[in-house]
Amino acid sequence: MLLAASGAQAQGASNSMPMQPSASASASRSVMPLVDGEVRKVDMGKGLIVLKHGDIPNLGMPAMTMGFDVADRQMLKAVKAGDKVQFQAEMVGGKAIVTELKPKR
């Protein structure tokens, strides 16, 4: 009986645990700074944007010019080559994907 009771307590504790990591993961995600960049090329058909960008700390990536896929092609409608932007990129399936993109004001 003692084993059954301790097993029930462990299950009860594990049911409340998943919510805490999710909350802290989304909180840390929202505090990541946006990276400054300049649009070099936009390819709506391929869902690709080429950015000259500063360091991307969350990816450990130095400043460079490179192409990124975008999480949502609709983001590309708001920018054109030469625009200054701020963006966030994340690793998704082993690829750096732009997940947030906005014109710099």
Side-chain angles (χ1 to χ4, degrees), residues 2-97:
L2 185 57
L3 288 175
S6 65
Q9 287 176 344
Q11 286 178 350
S14 67
N15 288 340
S16 63
M17 297 278 286
M19 294 193 67
Q20 290 175 344
S22 296
S24 64
S26 62
S28 65
R29 178 186 226 175
S30 65
V31 296
M32 286 191 300
L34 293 173
V35 176
D36 290 330
E38 181 181 328
V39 178
R40 295 299 178 127
K41 180 180 177 182
V42 175
D43 187 331
M44 284 292 292
K46 293 181 180 177
L48 178 80
I49 187 167
V50 177
L51 295 168
K52 178 179 179 183
H53 62 80
D55 293 344
I56 305 176
N58 63 307
L59 299 182
M61 185 179 292
M64 66 178 77
T65 299
M66 66 175 281
F68 293 90
D69 288 338
V70 293
D72 181 359
R73 291 181 186 202
Q74 296 300 312
M75 292 188 286
L76 298 177
K77 290 182 176 182
V79 297
K80 64 184 181 317
D83 285 354
K84 304 285 188 201
V85 296
Q86 291 187 307
F87 72 99
Q88 187 56 249
E90 297 179 34
M91 291 303 283
V92 178
K95 293 178 75 176
I97 307 288

